[in-house]
Amino acid sequence: WQGRDALDIFAEIVAIYKQFNIRCFQICDGSFEDPGIIGNKRIEELCNLLIAYPVSFSFRCFFRAETFSKEDHELISLMRKAGFSIVYLGIESGCDADLKVYHKRATVHDNVNAIKIFQSSNITVLIGFIFFNPYSNEKSVKDNYHFLRENKCFRILHYINKIEVYYCTEIHKKLKNDNLLTSEFDYLHPYSYKFNNEKISELNEFLDREIRQSPIIALDMKLYEFLHLYTELETISPNINNEFDQEFSAIKDALSSELEKYFSFYDDLDITRARHQKDEFIARMLHIYQRFETMKFRYLKKSYIRELLGIL
């Protein structure tokens, strides 16, 4: 691993902007803050260079949850001023036992703190979350549900996502030793494994049949993609979203509320109740997504949005 000098990164950003007029960037380093104190100094230097430049940019990047604490508030505020509008955090779980299965360094406490620290500086936090793994049990399901509920998660994907298993990873070796891989498992079929807990296996089958194939999954992704655009335009052109902020927040809150209400069956794993309420739940979710599509259509029709998109 070799970190690039801040001035070198800044020079590339400016060169891309000057040649292609690009102002929105995703930095695809898996852990942008590496390595420790030196990494934070590099981020600070890059932010100061960006703030001094006469053109505003928007950035998304990946961070580890355990890296930051309250002492880093000043640096994170500087990042927001420099245009860092979205951070991806590999939270993965709201259960410490699951985090150990994934060999994560972060704890649930670290995850909660990281979300709060970035949100306090008005940086949008998008999380990676693996709700189920072959060793999931009643407690991990309940813990994960409560984590998502308390953090007002509005993405159904996080409530139903299960781990993809890849060759030579630690969990692949463990599943192989525990005879939990099926005969269909290969690199094209990363979900071909069994669950160690019979009740969780039954729950997974229900989700596969009734929820994961639902049209609301594709709509969830559409909203997720729009959120990126919405946040980035606000970053490079402050207050441009004022007319829509309240409406978009209400839509996300409505989704969060519906998910919290429906998936409350995770508390006691009442799959029968989940099955009976499924059609009404999907209908309500579709209604909320229709509100979103209508808002998005009106948003993209606005002349000032189209003008901004035309110059990007």
Side-chain angles (χ1 to χ4, degrees), residues 80-275:
R80 184 65 185 91
K81 187 177 180 181
F84 285 85
S85 56
I86 296 174
V87 298
Y88 302 102
L89 293 177
I91 298 298
E92 313 310 357
S93 180
C95 172
D96 281 319
D98 278 356
L99 292 174
K100 290 180 180 177
V101 170
Y102 307 142
H103 292 269
K104 296 288 289 185
R105 297 176 186 172
T107 64
V108 173
H109 179 73
D110 293 328
N111 289 338
V112 171
N113 280 345
I115 291 172
K116 289 180 179 178
I117 290 167
F118 283 105
Q119 287 180 340
S120 69
S121 292
N122 196 30
I123 293 178
T124 298
V125 177
L126 301 178
I127 65 171
F129 204 84
I130 306 171
F131 201 103
F132 296 98
N133 67 71
Y135 301 97
S136 293
N137 54 39
E138 290 85 348
K139 183 181 184 306
S140 66
V141 167
K142 183 180 291 189
D143 286 350
N144 282 331
Y145 165 70
H146 283 271
F147 181 91
L148 294 177
R149 186 184 73 178
E150 289 162 13
N151 286 281
K152 299 188 180 300
C153 177
F154 57 87
R155 297 200 62 202
I156 187 172
L157 179 67
H158 295 328
Y159 279 88
I160 62 174
N161 198 28
K162 56 183 177 179
I163 193 169
E164 297 182 25
V165 176
Y166 298 106
Y167 282 107
C168 298
T169 57
E170 291 300 318
I171 196 165
H172 171 250
K173 297 172 187 175
K174 181 172 175 56
L175 292 175
K176 194 172 182 180
N177 289 336
D178 293 342
N179 295 315
L180 290 176
L181 296 176
T182 70
S183 58
E184 291 81 21
F185 178 82
D186 60 26
Y187 73 98
L188 291 176
H189 301 92
Y191 300 113
S192 295
Y193 49 75
K194 296 175 285 187
F195 286 84
N196 206 33
N197 182 299
E198 188 173 328
K199 190 70 175 178
I200 304 303
S201 181
E202 181 186 355
L203 172 58
N204 176 65
E205 290 175 7
F206 163 73
L207 294 173
D208 272 349
R209 289 194 312 269
E210 307 290 345
I211 304 295
R212 293 186 178 122
Q213 304 303 317
S214 165
I216 60 178
I217 306 303
L219 294 172
D220 170 86
M221 184 56 69
K222 284 187 176 183
L223 187 146
Y224 179 69
E225 291 169 349
F226 176 78
L227 176 61
H228 288 80
L229 173 68
Y230 190 86
T231 305
E232 289 169 336
L233 293 188
E234 173 71 24
T235 304
I236 62 175
S237 184
N239 303 318
I240 197 172
N241 294 334
N242 282 358
E243 181 180 348
F244 295 89
D245 279 342
Q246 189 173 353
E247 183 179 4
F248 194 26
S249 291
I251 289 170
K252 289 183 286 184
D253 286 344
L255 289 170
S256 172
S257 178
E258 284 296 338
L259 291 167
E260 174 185 339
K261 187 188 309 180
Y262 177 70
F263 286 101
S264 63
F265 78 89
Y266 279 163
D267 268 334
D268 54 10
L269 292 185
D270 188 348
I271 300 174
T272 300
R273 173 162 62 91
R275 188 175 288 112

